[in-house]
Amino acid sequence: MKKVNIIVIGPPGAGKGTQSERISGELGIPHISTGDMLRQHSDLETEHGMARDYMDRGDLVPDKIVYSILDHRLKKRDTENGFVLDGFPRDISQARHLESMEKIDAVISLEVDKNNVIRRLTGRRICDSCGKTFHLDYKPPVKEGVCDKCGSDLVQREDDKKDVIEQRLKKYRDKTLPLKEFYRKKGVLRKVDGNKDIEAVWNDIKEMIEEFLR
Ligand SMILES: [Zn+2]
């Protein structure tokens, strides 16, 4: 199989994680989420701890910390057939860093309207203990406020609260518009309507991937 390196970009709440997971399953390549990597409970590692402090404040994690964690991940053997990268790069300087390490074949941009983003994000809940994610509208837990998987409490992440979201969206727009332009010029940008439901978005992506692999 030829190596395929895919990036999924989109505003917070666009469904990057869900769609990346599907691509990963379809192509048998790992889903690498920088958000998850940075948020992991690994208090032994200073870099992870520092990263979480930034995220809880709704700030972007400094590049030096992200690069260190990401570079280490991309060197693992399971990326030999490629990867799906979600949450990175966020701006052109990160894109250049990535370019110096890996060739990118496709950048899937999930395009979602602002009001949809806000509605989706304020409904997100995450398990305090195992990290499993839920959504009050789209993926509610069987029992309100309790994780289906491990029975722990569900919480709203600091960076899913409304004022933090608006701050994140503004930062997203300022940094990502030039990023999309960067990839458009390279001929690898693929836009997908992310306002549709999960299945419809997945069908569009799947079609695109099939066409792309042909
Ligand atoms: Zn849980």
Side-chain angles (χ1 to χ4, degrees), residues 146-159:
V146 177
C147 176
D148 291 352
K149 193 175 161 194
C150 75
S152 299
D153 287 345
L154 299 182
V155 296
Q156 186 176 38
R157 279 197 338 232
E158 280 304 316
D159 51 356

Side-chain angles (χ1 to χ4, degrees), residues 184-206:
R184 193 189 61 76
K185 282 184 187 152
K186 292 185 181 296
V188 293
L189 185 70
R190 306 272 194 279
K191 289 187 182 180
V192 171
D193 181 0
N195 293 298
K196 300 182 190 173
D197 68 36
I198 290 174
E199 291 305 322
V201 174
W202 169 236
N203 283 333
D204 291 349
I205 292 176
K206 207 172 152 188

Side-chain angles (χ1 to χ4, degrees), residues 12-101:
K16 295 189 291 292
T18 307
Q19 300 298 340
S20 298
E21 206 47 55
R22 299 238 176 147
I23 298 169
S24 163
E26 182 80 7
L27 298 178
I29 54 179
H31 167 206
I32 300 175
S33 159
T34 49
D36 288 349
M37 282 197 305
L38 297 172
R39 215 177 282 122
Q40 273 164 6
H41 294 268
S42 49
D43 298 328
L44 293 175
E45 293 177 59
T46 320
E47 282 155 344
H48 281 97
M50 291 193 310
R52 288 187 67 185
D53 290 343
Y54 283 99
M55 295 176 93
D56 285 347
R57 290 198 300 267
D59 289 333
L60 294 176
V61 180
D63 286 350
K64 215 179 105 187
I65 299 174
V66 181
Y67 293 170
S68 155
I69 297 171
L70 179 71
D71 293 1
H72 181 74
R73 178 65 187 87
L74 289 179
K75 284 185 188 122
K76 288 194 179 172
R77 187 174 291 173
D78 65 350
T79 63
E80 64 187 0
N81 288 328
F83 54 78
V84 188
L85 192 53
D86 146 24
F88 187 95
R90 287 180 189 270
D91 57 33
I92 288 180
S93 100
Q94 291 188 343
R96 293 213 172 95
H97 173 83
L98 184 61
E99 202 177 30
S100 72
M101 299 181 64

